[in-house]
Amino acid sequence: MSKRPWTLIVAAAVVALEGLVALGLGVFAAVEALIGKPGDMTSALAVAAFAALVGAGLLWVAWGGLFKMERWGRAPGVLAQIFIAPVAVTLIRSDQPQLGIPLIVIALAGLVTLLLPPTTRALGYGDG
């Protein structure tokens, strides 16, 4: 297949970064649940498992889908950015701009690079 455009490399890197953060948060939540005193251990472990699964899924999308130029990788990548944007806005409105602003910048960068014509062409969506 053809060479990866820089837009696709950036998109894969953004999704991978999001996956690493989610995986890290899942591990952190699991450790906190096990060494702390959660109100509901089942819920705490479920949240940890969900975050870890989301992180692993995003890493799979980044590597197995986007970086390998598989057409299927774009849809979950775009969906992740759409889900992240409201979280970022909520953080900004909740007096957490130090978290929300970088998060929305990353989500917008991911969304734009996933939808730019070079990425679209590289993933086999026609002329882009």
Side-chain angles (χ1 to χ4, degrees):
M1 205 170 260
S2 65
K3 185 180 171 206
R4 283 178 205 89
W6 70 269
T7 56
L8 184 56
I9 294 168
V10 170
V14 166
V15 174
L17 174 65
E18 293 164 349
L20 287 172
V21 170
L23 189 60
L25 289 172
V27 169
F28 175 77
V31 169
E32 285 293 306
L34 294 174
I35 65 172
K37 293 185 173 62
D40 182 1
M41 180 63 84
T42 304
S43 294
L45 291 176
V47 168
F50 180 72
L53 285 173
V54 167
L58 287 173
L59 289 171
W60 178 54
V61 168
W63 176 255
L66 297 173
F67 191 74
K68 290 188 177 180
M69 296 174 57
E70 296 288 339
R71 185 178 179 139
W72 65 264
R74 189 169 89 159
V78 168
L79 190 61
Q81 308 320 304
I82 291 170
F83 284 153
I84 289 169
V87 173
V89 170
T90 301
L91 285 167
I92 293 167
R93 289 183 177 170
S94 300
D95 295 326
Q96 299 278 331
Q98 71 277 13
L99 298 174
I101 292 172
L103 191 58
I104 202 159
V105 168
I106 290 168
L108 288 173
L111 187 61
V112 167
T113 55
L114 283 164
L115 298 176
L116 280 173
T119 299
T120 300
R121 281 191 298 275
L123 295 176
Y125 284 96
D127 293 332

